Amino acid sequence: MTTQWFDSAKWIFVAQPGEAHDRYYDYKAAFTVKNEAKTVMYISAHSNYALWINGVFVDCGQLPDYESRQFYDTLDITKFVKSGENNLEITQYVAGRAFSTGRPAIPAVIFAVEAEGERVLSSDESILSGCNFRYASLKEDISGQCGYNCAYDANGPETIFTPSVAVDKPKNLIARTIEKVKLGDMLIPTLQNQGLFTDSDPKAMKSHRMMYSALRYVPR
């Protein structure tokens, strides 16, 4: 069953995505709310997503699904919006390969924002998007369950945005069937252990190095 908020929304994707395999994509848009209206966002993305409103991280974590059973999240973003114009940013990850935690599907995102029952934004071709090359496409397995590893270079090139394209993808959207993980307040890290780090093989894949590297304990 498709929620009414997706009626005017379209599945969209980057116009020139390159090889949509272990790759990240950015989307951005603006919407306006009046006063301090209760604002809700509905979103579904293959394979995963992270959302920011006005530069502040909101939430992430697409529940893995199938084309015949697409899950969407309902996110209360009221505390992140302000009266007037607001900026929305989404980073989408596309695995492009089957793992125990997901399977390939048509890569796209769909979303809608409503404020006090009024639709203020729907995904369509006017949404700007582009490839995020700060994430490296390594195609490096962590495991058959966890999927690919990743690498990020904050000094990499900025995303070049162009209008998105509509994707011919069915709307078989249903609400998430399990509760999302709750995000708590940021914690201040403290030193728990210290020692001498031994890298197993600097030339091996990071997943292998993380599994077999050792930390020899040194009392504080």
Side-chain angles (χ1 to χ4, degrees), residues 54-83:
N54 296 323
V56 179
F57 175 73
V58 175
D59 213 327
C60 63
Q62 172 70 36
L63 182 62
D65 54 18
Y66 300 89
E67 289 289 50
S68 60
R69 187 176 170 83
Q70 304 154 341
F71 294 118
Y72 69 86
D73 286 338
T74 301
L75 307 175
D76 186 344
I77 60 173
T78 305
K79 68 179 182 180
F80 300 98
V81 303
K82 59 186 179 182
S83 178

PDB file of all heavy atoms in Angstrom, residues 54-83:
ATOM      1  N   ASN A  54      19.297  21.352   6.965  1.00  0.00           N
ATOM      2  CA  ASN A  54      20.022  22.570   7.356  1.00  0.00           C
ATOM      3  C   ASN A  54      21.400  22.254   7.917  1.00  0.00           C
ATOM      4  O   ASN A  54      21.864  22.864   8.898  1.00  0.00           O
ATOM      5  CB  ASN A  54      19.193  23.368   8.368  1.00  0.00           C
ATOM      6  CG  ASN A  54      17.902  23.878   7.770  1.00  0.00           C
ATOM      7  OD1 ASN A  54      17.847  24.266   6.606  1.00  0.00           O
ATOM      8  ND2 ASN A  54      16.822  23.868   8.556  1.00  0.00           N
ATOM      9  N   GLY A  55      22.065  21.278   7.294  1.00  0.00           N
ATOM     10  CA  GLY A  55      23.428  20.924   7.663  1.00  0.00           C
ATOM     11  C   GLY A  55      23.557  20.061   8.899  1.00  0.00           C
ATOM     12  O   GLY A  55      24.677  19.743   9.318  1.00  0.00           O
ATOM     13  N   VAL A  56      22.442  19.642   9.494  1.00  0.00           N
ATOM     14  CA  VAL A  56      22.462  18.824  10.704  1.00  0.00           C
ATOM     15  C   VAL A  56      22.018  17.404  10.357  1.00  0.00           C
ATOM     16  O   VAL A  56      20.975  17.207   9.717  1.00  0.00           O
ATOM     17  CB  VAL A  56      21.550  19.414  11.800  1.00  0.00           C
ATOM     18  CG1 VAL A  56      21.572  18.531  13.051  1.00  0.00           C
ATOM     19  CG2 VAL A  56      21.983  20.835  12.132  1.00  0.00           C
ATOM     20  N   PHE A  57      22.792  16.412  10.797  1.00  0.00           N
ATOM     21  CA  PHE A  57      22.439  15.020  10.530  1.00  0.00           C
ATOM     22  C   PHE A  57      21.121  14.676  11.214  1.00  0.00           C
ATOM     23  O   PHE A  57      20.917  14.977  12.394  1.00  0.00           O
ATOM     24  CB  PHE A  57      23.534  14.080  11.034  1.00  0.00           C
ATOM     25  CG  PHE A  57      23.186  12.621  10.904  1.00  0.00           C
ATOM     26  CD1 PHE A  57      23.184  12.003   9.669  1.00  0.00           C
ATOM     27  CD2 PHE A  57      22.842  11.881  12.029  1.00  0.00           C
ATOM     28  CE1 PHE A  57      22.850  10.659   9.550  1.00  0.00           C
ATOM     29  CE2 PHE A  57      22.509  10.539  11.920  1.00  0.00           C
ATOM     30  CZ  PHE A  57      22.519   9.928  10.680  1.00  0.00           C
ATOM     31  N   VAL A  58      20.229  14.024  10.463  1.00  0.00           N
ATOM     32  CA  VAL A  58      18.905  13.671  10.983  1.00  0.00           C
ATOM     33  C   VAL A  58      18.792  12.186  11.263  1.00  0.00           C
ATOM     34  O   VAL A  58      18.496  11.759  12.373  1.00  0.00           O
ATOM     35  CB  VAL A  58      17.792  14.098   9.997  1.00  0.00           C
ATOM     36  CG1 VAL A  58      16.425  13.629  10.491  1.00  0.00           C
ATOM     37  CG2 VAL A  58      17.804  15.606   9.797  1.00  0.00           C
ATOM     38  N   ASP A  59      19.029  11.355  10.239  1.00  0.00           N
ATOM     39  CA  ASP A  59      18.834   9.917  10.395  1.00  0.00           C
ATOM     40  C   ASP A  59      19.416   9.197   9.183  1.00  0.00           C
ATOM     41  O   ASP A  59      19.810   9.833   8.199  1.00  0.00           O
ATOM     42  CB  ASP A  59      17.346   9.587  10.529  1.00  0.00           C
ATOM     43  CG  ASP A  59      17.094   8.399  11.446  1.00  0.00           C
ATOM     44  OD1 ASP A  59      17.943   7.484  11.467  1.00  0.00           O
ATOM     45  OD2 ASP A  59      16.064   8.388  12.149  1.00  0.00           O
ATOM     46  N   CYS A  60      19.444   7.855   9.269  1.00  0.00           N
ATOM     47  CA  CYS A  60      19.952   7.041   8.161  1.00  0.00           C
ATOM     48  C   CYS A  60      19.412   5.632   8.325  1.00  0.00           C
ATOM     49  O   CYS A  60      18.749   5.315   9.317  1.00  0.00           O
ATOM     50  CB  CYS A  60      21.482   7.045   8.138  1.00  0.00           C
ATOM     51  SG  CYS A  60      22.234   6.293   9.610  1.00  0.00           S
ATOM     52  N   GLY A  61      19.700   4.775   7.369  1.00  0.00           N
ATOM     53  CA  GLY A  61      19.397   3.364   7.543  1.00  0.00           C
ATOM     54  C   GLY A  61      18.161   2.862   6.844  1.00  0.00           C
ATOM     55  O   GLY A  61      17.095   2.735   7.443  1.00  0.00           O
ATOM     56  N   GLN A  62      18.264   2.579   5.552  1.00  0.00           N
ATOM     57  CA  GLN A  62      17.178   1.968   4.798  1.00  0.00           C
ATOM     58  C   GLN A  62      17.013   0.514   5.230  1.00  0.00           C
ATOM     59  O   GLN A  62      17.990  -0.241   5.287  1.00  0.00           O
ATOM     60  CB  GLN A  62      17.472   2.033   3.304  1.00  0.00           C
ATOM     61  CG  GLN A  62      16.516   1.254   2.422  1.00  0.00           C
ATOM     62  CD  GLN A  62      15.136   1.888   2.360  1.00  0.00           C
ATOM     63  OE1 GLN A  62      15.011   3.106   2.376  1.00  0.00           O
ATOM     64  NE2 GLN A  62      14.112   1.062   2.294  1.00  0.00           N
ATOM     65  N   LEU A  63      15.792   0.110   5.529  1.00  0.00           N
ATOM     66  CA  LEU A  63      15.526  -1.299   5.804  1.00  0.00           C
ATOM     67  C   LEU A  63      15.588  -2.071   4.491  1.00  0.00           C
ATOM     68  O   LEU A  63      14.860  -1.744   3.551  1.00  0.00           O
ATOM     69  CB  LEU A  63      14.143  -1.449   6.445  1.00  0.00           C
ATOM     70  CG  LEU A  63      13.726  -2.866   6.842  1.00  0.00           C
ATOM     71  CD1 LEU A  63      14.664  -3.436   7.889  1.00  0.00           C
ATOM     72  CD2 LEU A  63      12.286  -2.869   7.356  1.00  0.00           C
ATOM     73  N   PRO A  64      16.469  -3.084   4.363  1.00  0.00           N
ATOM     74  CA  PRO A  64      16.582  -3.822   3.095  1.00  0.00           C
ATOM     75  C   PRO A  64      15.233  -4.380   2.650  1.00  0.00           C
ATOM     76  O   PRO A  64      14.434  -4.850   3.474  1.00  0.00           O
ATOM     77  CB  PRO A  64      17.573  -4.937   3.431  1.00  0.00           C
ATOM     78  CG  PRO A  64      18.399  -4.376   4.549  1.00  0.00           C
ATOM     79  CD  PRO A  64      17.442  -3.557   5.366  1.00  0.00           C
ATOM     80  N   ASP A  65      14.993  -4.335   1.340  1.00  0.00           N
ATOM     81  CA  ASP A  65      13.679  -4.730   0.840  1.00  0.00           C
ATOM     82  C   ASP A  65      13.794  -5.359  -0.534  1.00  0.00           C
ATOM     83  O   ASP A  65      14.883  -5.684  -1.013  1.00  0.00           O
ATOM     84  CB  ASP A  65      12.730  -3.533   0.829  1.00  0.00           C
ATOM     85  CG  ASP A  65      13.296  -2.331   0.055  1.00  0.00           C
ATOM     86  OD1 ASP A  65      14.239  -2.524  -0.751  1.00  0.00           O
ATOM     87  OD2 ASP A  65      12.793  -1.206   0.247  1.00  0.00           O
ATOM     88  N   TYR A  66      12.652  -5.530  -1.185  1.00  0.00           N
ATOM     89  CA  TYR A  66      12.554  -6.084  -2.531  1.00  0.00           C
ATOM     90  C   TYR A  66      11.735  -5.121  -3.385  1.00  0.00           C
ATOM     91  O   TYR A  66      10.992  -4.290  -2.863  1.00  0.00           O
ATOM     92  CB  TYR A  66      11.866  -7.455  -2.501  1.00  0.00           C
ATOM     93  CG  TYR A  66      12.566  -8.491  -1.663  1.00  0.00           C
ATOM     94  CD1 TYR A  66      12.274  -8.639  -0.309  1.00  0.00           C
ATOM     95  CD2 TYR A  66      13.524  -9.326  -2.230  1.00  0.00           C
ATOM     96  CE1 TYR A  66      12.923  -9.587   0.466  1.00  0.00           C
ATOM     97  CE2 TYR A  66      14.178 -10.289  -1.470  1.00  0.00           C
ATOM     98  CZ  TYR A  66      13.864 -10.408  -0.121  1.00  0.00           C
ATOM     99  OH  TYR A  66      14.507 -11.352   0.647  1.00  0.00           O
ATOM    100  N   GLU A  67      11.842  -5.243  -4.692  1.00  0.00           N
ATOM    101  CA  GLU A  67      11.080  -4.364  -5.571  1.00  0.00           C
ATOM    102  C   GLU A  67       9.574  -4.528  -5.360  1.00  0.00           C
ATOM    103  O   GLU A  67       8.808  -3.586  -5.521  1.00  0.00           O
ATOM    104  CB  GLU A  67      11.427  -4.641  -7.040  1.00  0.00           C
ATOM    105  CG  GLU A  67      12.822  -4.189  -7.452  1.00  0.00           C
ATOM    106  CD  GLU A  67      12.956  -2.677  -7.534  1.00  0.00           C
ATOM    107  OE1 GLU A  67      12.572  -1.976  -6.572  1.00  0.00           O
ATOM    108  OE2 GLU A  67      13.437  -2.189  -8.560  1.00  0.00           O
ATOM    109  N   SER A  68       9.150  -5.707  -4.971  1.00  0.00           N
ATOM    110  CA  SER A  68       7.731  -5.951  -4.747  1.00  0.00           C
ATOM    111  C   SER A  68       7.286  -5.554  -3.340  1.00  0.00           C
ATOM    112  O   SER A  68       6.089  -5.597  -3.034  1.00  0.00           O
ATOM    113  CB  SER A  68       7.417  -7.440  -4.958  1.00  0.00           C
ATOM    114  OG  SER A  68       8.176  -8.239  -4.059  1.00  0.00           O
ATOM    115  N   ARG A  69       8.226  -5.142  -2.507  1.00  0.00           N
ATOM    116  CA  ARG A  69       7.931  -4.812  -1.105  1.00  0.00           C
ATOM    117  C   ARG A  69       8.956  -3.773  -0.650  1.00  0.00           C
ATOM    118  O   ARG A  69       9.938  -4.088  -0.003  1.00  0.00           O
ATOM    119  CB  ARG A  69       8.002  -6.080  -0.268  1.00  0.00           C
ATOM    120  CG  ARG A  69       7.561  -5.939   1.184  1.00  0.00           C
ATOM    121  CD  ARG A  69       7.593  -7.296   1.849  1.00  0.00           C
ATOM    122  NE  ARG A  69       7.414  -7.227   3.277  1.00  0.00           N
ATOM    123  CZ  ARG A  69       6.251  -7.148   3.911  1.00  0.00           C
ATOM    124  NH1 ARG A  69       5.143  -7.110   3.189  1.00  0.00           N
ATOM    125  NH2 ARG A  69       6.168  -7.121   5.226  1.00  0.00           N
ATOM    126  N   GLN A  70       8.713  -2.521  -1.004  1.00  0.00           N
ATOM    127  CA  GLN A  70       9.663  -1.434  -0.756  1.00  0.00           C
ATOM    128  C   GLN A  70       9.301  -0.725   0.551  1.00  0.00           C
ATOM    129  O   GLN A  70       8.187  -0.218   0.700  1.00  0.00           O
ATOM    130  CB  GLN A  70       9.627  -0.432  -1.912  1.00  0.00           C
ATOM    131  CG  GLN A  70       9.905  -1.053  -3.275  1.00  0.00           C
ATOM    132  CD  GLN A  70       9.259  -0.261  -4.398  1.00  0.00           C
ATOM    133  OE1 GLN A  70       8.335   0.521  -4.185  1.00  0.00           O
ATOM    134  NE2 GLN A  70       9.733  -0.470  -5.619  1.00  0.00           N
ATOM    135  N   PHE A  71      10.238  -0.670   1.480  1.00  0.00           N
ATOM    136  CA  PHE A  71       9.976  -0.038   2.766  1.00  0.00           C
ATOM    137  C   PHE A  71      10.330   1.449   2.727  1.00  0.00           C
ATOM    138  O   PHE A  71      11.311   1.842   2.093  1.00  0.00           O
ATOM    139  CB  PHE A  71      10.786  -0.713   3.873  1.00  0.00           C
ATOM    140  CG  PHE A  71      10.387  -2.131   4.132  1.00  0.00           C
ATOM    141  CD1 PHE A  71      11.298  -3.163   3.945  1.00  0.00           C
ATOM    142  CD2 PHE A  71       9.106  -2.435   4.543  1.00  0.00           C
ATOM    143  CE1 PHE A  71      10.931  -4.476   4.176  1.00  0.00           C
ATOM    144  CE2 PHE A  71       8.725  -3.755   4.776  1.00  0.00           C
ATOM    145  CZ  PHE A  71       9.644  -4.774   4.596  1.00  0.00           C
ATOM    146  N   TYR A  72       9.522   2.249   3.405  1.00  0.00           N
ATOM    147  CA  TYR A  72       9.856   3.664   3.555  1.00  0.00           C
ATOM    148  C   TYR A  72       9.883   4.028   5.028  1.00  0.00           C
ATOM    149  O   TYR A  72       9.226   3.404   5.863  1.00  0.00           O
ATOM    150  CB  TYR A  72       8.856   4.552   2.798  1.00  0.00           C
ATOM    151  CG  TYR A  72       7.465   4.598   3.374  1.00  0.00           C
ATOM    152  CD1 TYR A  72       7.128   5.492   4.396  1.00  0.00           C
ATOM    153  CD2 TYR A  72       6.463   3.761   2.880  1.00  0.00           C
ATOM    154  CE1 TYR A  72       5.833   5.534   4.917  1.00  0.00           C
ATOM    155  CE2 TYR A  72       5.182   3.805   3.396  1.00  0.00           C
ATOM    156  CZ  TYR A  72       4.875   4.687   4.414  1.00  0.00           C
ATOM    157  OH  TYR A  72       3.599   4.724   4.928  1.00  0.00           O
ATOM    158  N   ASP A  73      10.680   5.038   5.360  1.00  0.00           N
ATOM    159  CA  ASP A  73      10.772   5.551   6.719  1.00  0.00           C
ATOM    160  C   ASP A  73       9.917   6.801   6.871  1.00  0.00           C
ATOM    161  O   ASP A  73       9.813   7.613   5.938  1.00  0.00           O
ATOM    162  CB  ASP A  73      12.223   5.895   7.077  1.00  0.00           C
ATOM    163  CG  ASP A  73      13.075   4.664   7.323  1.00  0.00           C
ATOM    164  OD1 ASP A  73      12.499   3.605   7.629  1.00  0.00           O
ATOM    165  OD2 ASP A  73      14.307   4.758   7.200  1.00  0.00           O
ATOM    166  N   THR A  74       9.344   6.974   8.038  1.00  0.00           N
ATOM    167  CA  THR A  74       8.613   8.183   8.399  1.00  0.00           C
ATOM    168  C   THR A  74       9.425   8.890   9.477  1.00  0.00           C
ATOM    169  O   THR A  74       9.597   8.360  10.579  1.00  0.00           O
ATOM    170  CB  THR A  74       7.206   7.845   8.934  1.00  0.00           C
ATOM    171  OG1 THR A  74       6.483   7.119   7.931  1.00  0.00           O
ATOM    172  CG2 THR A  74       6.454   9.107   9.292  1.00  0.00           C
ATOM    173  N   LEU A  75       9.969  10.057   9.148  1.00  0.00           N
ATOM    174  CA  LEU A  75      10.887  10.764  10.042  1.00  0.00           C
ATOM    175  C   LEU A  75      10.289  12.093  10.473  1.00  0.00           C
ATOM    176  O   LEU A  75       9.959  12.934   9.636  1.00  0.00           O
ATOM    177  CB  LEU A  75      12.227  11.011   9.330  1.00  0.00           C
ATOM    178  CG  LEU A  75      12.917   9.783   8.715  1.00  0.00           C
ATOM    179  CD1 LEU A  75      14.161  10.219   7.952  1.00  0.00           C
ATOM    180  CD2 LEU A  75      13.278   8.757   9.785  1.00  0.00           C
ATOM    181  N   ASP A  76      10.170  12.292  11.770  1.00  0.00           N
ATOM    182  CA  ASP A  76       9.724  13.579  12.306  1.00  0.00           C
ATOM    183  C   ASP A  76      10.933  14.516  12.306  1.00  0.00           C
ATOM    184  O   ASP A  76      11.873  14.342  13.069  1.00  0.00           O
ATOM    185  CB  ASP A  76       9.187  13.402  13.725  1.00  0.00           C
ATOM    186  CG  ASP A  76       8.577  14.686  14.288  1.00  0.00           C
ATOM    187  OD1 ASP A  76       8.839  15.770  13.726  1.00  0.00           O
ATOM    188  OD2 ASP A  76       7.863  14.619  15.300  1.00  0.00           O
ATOM    189  N   ILE A  77      10.912  15.512  11.418  1.00  0.00           N
ATOM    190  CA  ILE A  77      12.060  16.416  11.284  1.00  0.00           C
ATOM    191  C   ILE A  77      11.751  17.804  11.843  1.00  0.00           C
ATOM    192  O   ILE A  77      12.473  18.763  11.559  1.00  0.00           O
ATOM    193  CB  ILE A  77      12.515  16.516   9.809  1.00  0.00           C
ATOM    194  CG1 ILE A  77      11.376  17.044   8.919  1.00  0.00           C
ATOM    195  CG2 ILE A  77      13.006  15.166   9.307  1.00  0.00           C
ATOM    196  CD1 ILE A  77      11.800  17.318   7.482  1.00  0.00           C
ATOM    197  N   THR A  78      10.703  17.894  12.658  1.00  0.00           N
ATOM    198  CA  THR A  78      10.254  19.194  13.164  1.00  0.00           C
ATOM    199  C   THR A  78      11.371  19.973  13.843  1.00  0.00           C
ATOM    200  O   THR A  78      11.539  21.182  13.606  1.00  0.00           O
ATOM    201  CB  THR A  78       9.086  19.001  14.155  1.00  0.00           C
ATOM    202  OG1 THR A  78       8.048  18.241  13.524  1.00  0.00           O
ATOM    203  CG2 THR A  78       8.536  20.349  14.602  1.00  0.00           C
ATOM    204  N   LYS A  79      12.145  19.301  14.682  1.00  0.00           N
ATOM    205  CA  LYS A  79      13.172  20.015  15.444  1.00  0.00           C
ATOM    206  C   LYS A  79      14.345  20.468  14.593  1.00  0.00           C
ATOM    207  O   LYS A  79      15.181  21.246  15.049  1.00  0.00           O
ATOM    208  CB  LYS A  79      13.670  19.156  16.600  1.00  0.00           C
ATOM    209  CG  LYS A  79      14.458  17.925  16.200  1.00  0.00           C
ATOM    210  CD  LYS A  79      14.927  17.169  17.434  1.00  0.00           C
ATOM    211  CE  LYS A  79      15.774  15.959  17.075  1.00  0.00           C
ATOM    212  NZ  LYS A  79      16.222  15.222  18.282  1.00  0.00           N
ATOM    213  N   PHE A  80      14.398  19.997  13.349  1.00  0.00           N
ATOM    214  CA  PHE A  80      15.511  20.360  12.474  1.00  0.00           C
ATOM    215  C   PHE A  80      15.152  21.504  11.518  1.00  0.00           C
ATOM    216  O   PHE A  80      16.043  22.054  10.871  1.00  0.00           O
ATOM    217  CB  PHE A  80      15.961  19.144  11.653  1.00  0.00           C
ATOM    218  CG  PHE A  80      16.433  17.994  12.480  1.00  0.00           C
ATOM    219  CD1 PHE A  80      15.575  16.937  12.771  1.00  0.00           C
ATOM    220  CD2 PHE A  80      17.724  17.958  12.984  1.00  0.00           C
ATOM    221  CE1 PHE A  80      16.001  15.866  13.540  1.00  0.00           C
ATOM    222  CE2 PHE A  80      18.165  16.890  13.753  1.00  0.00           C
ATOM    223  CZ  PHE A  80      17.300  15.843  14.037  1.00  0.00           C
ATOM    224  N   VAL A  81      13.874  21.826  11.397  1.00  0.00           N
ATOM    225  CA  VAL A  81      13.460  22.848  10.442  1.00  0.00           C
ATOM    226  C   VAL A  81      13.225  24.182  11.143  1.00  0.00           C
ATOM    227  O   VAL A  81      13.083  24.255  12.369  1.00  0.00           O
ATOM    228  CB  VAL A  81      12.182  22.426   9.680  1.00  0.00           C
ATOM    229  CG1 VAL A  81      12.393  21.107   8.961  1.00  0.00           C
ATOM    230  CG2 VAL A  81      10.993  22.345  10.621  1.00  0.00           C
ATOM    231  N   LYS A  82      13.198  25.231  10.345  1.00  0.00           N
ATOM    232  CA  LYS A  82      12.956  26.582  10.840  1.00  0.00           C
ATOM    233  C   LYS A  82      11.882  27.230   9.977  1.00  0.00           C
ATOM    234  O   LYS A  82      11.592  26.765   8.863  1.00  0.00           O
ATOM    235  CB  LYS A  82      14.240  27.399  10.770  1.00  0.00           C
ATOM    236  CG  LYS A  82      14.797  27.514   9.352  1.00  0.00           C
ATOM    237  CD  LYS A  82      16.150  28.197   9.322  1.00  0.00           C
ATOM    238  CE  LYS A  82      16.659  28.259   7.868  1.00  0.00           C
ATOM    239  NZ  LYS A  82      17.991  28.875   7.769  1.00  0.00           N
ATOM    240  N   SER A  83      11.304  28.288  10.470  1.00  0.00           N
ATOM    241  CA  SER A  83      10.316  29.020   9.684  1.00  0.00           C
ATOM    242  C   SER A  83      11.001  29.652   8.485  1.00  0.00           C
ATOM    243  O   SER A  83      12.042  30.295   8.604  1.00  0.00           O
ATOM    244  CB  SER A  83       9.661  30.105  10.545  1.00  0.00           C
ATOM    245  OG  SER A  83       8.732  30.847   9.791  1.00  0.00           O
TER     246      SER A  83
END
